[in-house]
Amino acid sequence: MVAKRELFKSVDVCELTQLQPYVLRSWEAEFPGLGKPAAGGGRVYRRADVELVLRIKDLVFVEGLTLAGARRRLEEEQQEPSRSIAAVAMDDVLSAMARTKLREVRTGLEAILQLLSHDAGRPPELQLVAPAARSKGPAAKRRRAS
């Protein structure tokens, strides 16, 4: 959680984010928009900068990305359009529909498997005949003639 202030010194950012100053300085080189030079020679950071540092820290230390990988991920996240609540809800509905359809398909496949496994124990003349074999083609006529 970032304090309610609007500007932070680098010492404060390091304390809030639990980072060493040299780490913060190296991140400034990879992320040029991070912090602004202050009149006294140091740098000041806005609240958004501190939140960005926390996000970078998560990407690097938790997800295991390099700084270049973290920069790319952040750029991708900025380019993605924000999704509306309706779009998220629609995805949930579609996911539920897909799960229902998959369950129906699975049930059907299990029924077919059960039929086939019961059919395997029957003598060949009592086994189920595939619909294509029951057609009225020449092979079917020969079977009926014999």
Side-chain angles (χ1 to χ4, degrees):
M1 190 67 165
V2 179
K4 300 253 184 236
R5 298 188 315 191
E6 288 300 317
L7 293 176
F8 300 86
K9 295 179 181 179
S10 57
V11 173
D12 300 327
V13 175
C14 290
E15 185 177 313
L16 286 168
T17 60
Q18 298 294 299
L19 292 171
Q20 295 293 323
Y22 72 91
V23 174
L24 185 60
R25 284 192 301 274
S26 71
W27 290 4
E28 290 167 0
E30 188 69 33
F31 302 90
L34 191 60
K36 305 260 185 254
R43 292 181 79 81
V44 291
Y45 302 84
R46 298 166 296 158
R47 182 176 303 157
D49 293 330
V50 177
E51 291 171 358
L52 178 60
V53 168
L54 289 169
R55 179 70 177 124
I56 296 167
K57 181 180 177 183
D58 183 63
L59 291 171
V60 171
F61 293 120
V62 176
E63 293 190 31
L65 297 178
T66 62
L67 287 180
R71 182 177 30 78
R72 281 191 299 274
R73 173 79 61 87
L74 290 169
E75 288 169 358
E76 290 169 3
E77 289 173 359
Q78 289 176 351
Q79 291 173 357
E80 291 176 4
S82 61
R83 300 181 64 203
S84 69
I85 294 172
V88 172
M90 188 62 158
D91 283 349
D92 291 344
V93 168
L94 291 175
S95 295
M97 288 172 57
R99 283 191 297 274
T100 301
K101 290 290 182 191
L102 286 172
R103 274 194 294 274
E104 290 172 3
V105 168
R106 181 179 180 160
T107 302
L109 290 172
E110 287 172 345
I112 292 170
L113 180 63
Q114 190 174 22
L115 278 173
L116 291 174
S117 65
H118 288 276
D119 203 32
R122 295 181 185 167
E125 61 274 4
L126 296 178
Q127 289 184 357
L128 293 176
V129 179
R134 285 187 263 165
S135 69
K136 301 198 187 296
K141 289 179 185 172
R142 275 186 261 137
R143 271 197 310 276
R144 276 185 257 143
S146 35

